[in-house]
Structure formats: C-alpha cells, structure tokens
Amino acid sequence: MSEIAEIIVDGKSYQLPIVVGTEDEKAIDISSLRSETSHITLDPGYKNTGATTSAITFLDGEKGILRYRGYPIEQLAEKSSFLEVSYLLIYGSLPTAEQLNDFSDRIRRHTLVNEDMRKILDGFPATAHPMGILSALVSSLTAFYPESLNSNQTQDEMDLSVIRLMAKMPTIAAWSYKNSIGHPVIYPKNKLDYASNFLNMMFAYPTESYEVDPVVVDALNKLLILHADHEQNCSTSTVRLVGSAHASLYSSVSAGIGALWGPLHGGANQAVIEMLEQIKADGGDSKKFIEKAKDKNDSFRLMGFGHRVYKNFDPRAKIIKKSADDVLTALGVKDPILNIAKELEEAALNDPYFVERKLYPNVDFYSGIIYRALGIPTNMFTVMFALGRLPGWIAQWKEMRENKEPIGRPRQVYVGETERDYVAVENR
Ligand code: ACO
C-alpha cells in the first residue's frame, strides 16, 4: 500500500497521499488540501515546498550529490562538453555522435542575430549592466520570431526556438560586453566551437587577430557544465512560473535572467570579487570581515558562502576549486586577492559560526576567481552564469510545457486591514 500522511484540522482527520521519487525523496501531496480543509500551507521562500516533479536534475544537499539525468556532475565535468550536456538536459539522454553533430551544426547555423538587434543594443548607454542588456535582448527575440509566441507550437517549432536561443545567447552576451566598453561588436565565427566562438566575440578586435587559448576554452567548458542546471532554484522557478502562463521561451528565459542577476543568487560571483577587492582596499584583514559577517547588527555577509540546499560542501565547488588551481597555474596568474580568498575560506571552514550553520564556500566563491583569471570582466560574471544555466532553463521550461503543468499561482494569508469605508480626502 502506498504511504499516506494524516493531518488533523479542527479536530477532523484528513489523509494525504505521499509521492515518492526515484531517489526515495518524499513529498506530501497537498493538492486537495484547500478543497477538503479550506486551509492552505504557508512556506515563505518555499523552503519545504516542491513545485513540481521533475526528471532532469537530482541533488542531495546533505550528501553533496548533483546529477543531471542520472549522470554524476563529476563525470560530466571531467569527460563531456557543454553542448553534449546541453543535449542531455534538454532531450533527456546523452547524444549519439550523429545527434551531437547535428545539434552542434544547427546551433552553429543560428549564431547570427538580426541586424536590427544592433539598433536596440545601440540604444543602451555604456553604463548599462550586461545582465540588463542580456535580459532585454533575449526578450526582444520574440519580436524577430513572433511565431515563438504561439503557445501551441509543434515539437519542431519549439525545437527551433530552443536552437535559436542556444545559438544566439553567446552572441548577445558578448555583444552586451562590447557595448559596455564602447567597442564594435564581433560577429560569430561558425568554424569555432561554442566556447571558442564566445571567447572570440568577447576578446577579438576588428583590427587584430585573436588566438583562443585551449586552457581557457577548457576551463570555460567546465564552468558552463557545472552551472548548466540546479533543479528548482530561484531563476529556474522563475522561468517555469513565467512559462506556466504560456509565455514564450524567450520571455520566460528573459525573466530568469532577471532573477539570476540578484546578488543572493547568480550575482554572488560578481559580489565575491567586489568583496575581496573591498577587503584588499581595507588593508587585507580577512579576520575583521569574518567578524563583520558574524555580527547580527552588521548587514555584511560573506559572499560566496552558504547555500539554500547544500548543507555540505557544494559538489560543484569541489570540482571548481581544483579547476581554479589548475587554471591559475597554467596561465601563470598571480592575483593578490587569491590570498585573501584562501584566508577567508580557511577561517570560515574552522570558525564555529560557519561550521554550526553549515556555511561552506559555494560554486560562486571560486567561479569568480576563475573568470577573473580568464580575463572576463567582473560585470560579465553573472552573464557567464546565465550562459551556463541556459540549457537547464530550456529543459525545465520544456518539461513544464510538455507535462502540461497548470499556471503557477501561489496563495497567501492576508494580514492587512479588514473592510473599512472610504473617507473623502477633506475629512481625513
Ligand atoms: N555570511 C554570514 N552568515 C550567513 C551567510 C553568509 N554568507 N549565509 C547564511 N548566513 C547565516 C544567516 O545569518 C543565518 O544565521 P542565523 O541562523 O543565526 O540567523 C543562517 O546562516 C542561515 O541563513 P539563511 O539566510 O536563513 O539561509 P538561506 O538558505 O535562506 O540563504 C543564501 C542561502 C541566500 C545563499 C545565503 O547563504 C547567502 O546570502 N549567501 C551569500 C550569497 C551567496 O553566496 N549566494 C550564492 C548562492 S549559490 C547560487 O545561487 C548559485
């Protein structure tokens, strides 16, 4: 017999089914709760609420496990490519050589963006943050591909939207950077692979040739894979929620980019470097900042530490920490803020405040350090995260639509004024 949970409301007992996942994760299905008991559940920040069942990513925060479609992140980061992982996330299985070729080829053929998009880009001042530009330009793809607004797209049409987005995102991302420094944009070179093409659009100049360093390509590939999906996080939930209203893939992902921008989410990688710079400018006393982070009267937090679901070392952070060491050695980078980062890491890992709260360095603590070593400017860090997260957002959006999930619409417990009569302004 399947398991059930019992809940007693106003002295009356109700039975609720328990849903069990393939990894033995258990959830009390409360979908009939309101109709049966006229009560709802209250869970600010959704710390205990499952919004969906999903077959894409499994993570166990206590054990530090992360798997895409069943494959351990460690194996994928070590052995696969970003496009292979993207295919896996979006279509559910590892591609054959032919499928991967076809997928890569189709993406290569769609890397150009409509020339009119450059006019939109030109309208942004150089002060615009690249994440704002990215979100706006991804949303504006709906204007160039209005058929993407059709909520009854066939599988082939939906697939074309997916390919276009995967193909154009690196172009838009690199162009948003070129715009922010007032340089001419570089067009995609389709003979290059995904990561090299992006790096070329970021770092080449029209007047000079640019050789992509394989160490950099390798590191970028790994970073993109590590960020590719993370189940129902803030930006992914945003993508699913917006998509649940049958908004297009482009507008749903554009909203996800907005969510990712926040410093408590993807914006943390930029915030980490800014924090390390701040500590350096202040004289480099990391202990002082550890004390500030522990002080409840001080709003300072150690950026890059802690995670909503990992209460053990973030498995991505483990891989990336090693990759950071390798990349810095290979590129011969000597960065003074690295010592501060190491001191913070060591102090926090031994300090009872962080140990008791299980606050470990997260993926963003190290990714910022690598991006910096690769020559990526700080305000592009979160854009890099968005590039990596894109296949995850697409896979989650697609799953939600294919499963015909209902529109997302949470409820609330109202705590405002009860009914009162309007009073004319002169009588107030
Ligand atoms: N520095 C100092 N104290 C912290 C930190 C931190 N970075 N993170 C959590 N704490 C403390 C809180 O003050 C709280 O202490 P208390 O129990 O004494 O009140 C306790 O640890 C639990 O913290 P919450 O904020 O309740 O944890 P939550 O799960 O809501 O937040 C979050 C997780 C947002 C990631 C948080 O740890 C944080 O702000 N970290 C810094 C920002 C960051 O690195 N974000 C990137 C996350 S990874 C990603 O998005 C890819």
Side-chain angles (χ1 to χ4, degrees), residues 47 227 230 260 263-266 268-269 272 293-294 296 300-309 311 314 316 353-354 357 359 362-364 385 389:
K47 291 193 179 195
H227 284 93
H230 213 233
L260 189 73
L264 295 191
H265 189 16
N269 53 17
V272 167
K294 287 157 50 176
K296 290 288 165 212
F300 178 81
R301 276 195 166 196
L302 267 195
M303 298 315 287
F305 279 78
H307 197 279
R308 170 56 64 79
V309 291
K311 303 302 173 195
D314 178 342
R316 302 166 304 170
Y353 174 94
F354 293 89
R357 289 171 180 75
L359 298 170
N362 57 49
V363 66
D364 286 327
F385 191 158
R389 184 53 53 87

Side-chain angles (χ1 to χ4, degrees), residues 318-390:
K318 262 191 203 161
I319 302 169
I320 219 170
K321 180 174 156 59
K322 174 160 186 324
S323 177
D325 290 341
D326 295 349
V327 169
L328 295 170
T329 312
L331 297 177
V333 173
K334 297 214 177 349
D335 191 337
I337 67 162
L338 270 181
N339 287 339
I340 299 176
K342 287 208 169 115
E343 279 169 29
L344 276 187
E345 182 193 13
E346 205 170 298
L349 289 177
N350 294 311
D351 188 305
Y353 174 94
F354 293 89
V355 175
E356 278 159 20
R357 289 171 180 75
K358 302 187 170 148
L359 298 170
Y360 295 92
N362 57 49
V363 66
D364 286 327
F365 186 69
Y366 302 103
S367 63
I369 292 168
I370 303 187
Y371 288 138
R372 190 170 147 109
L374 301 188
I376 309 260
T378 314
N379 68 352
M380 278 295 287
F381 288 3
T382 318
V383 171
M384 304 305 297
F385 191 158
L387 267 189
R389 184 53 53 87
L390 181 62

Side-chain angles (χ1 to χ4, degrees), residues 4-7 16-19 26-31:
I4 48 154
E6 190 175 1
I7 178 173
L16 299 167
I18 290 183
V19 177
K26 293 183 179 163
I28 302 168
D29 178 351
I30 57 150
S31 47

Side-chain angles (χ1 to χ4, degrees), residues 54 150 249 310 425:
S54 176
N150 176 6
L249 175 65
Y310 289 121
V425 69

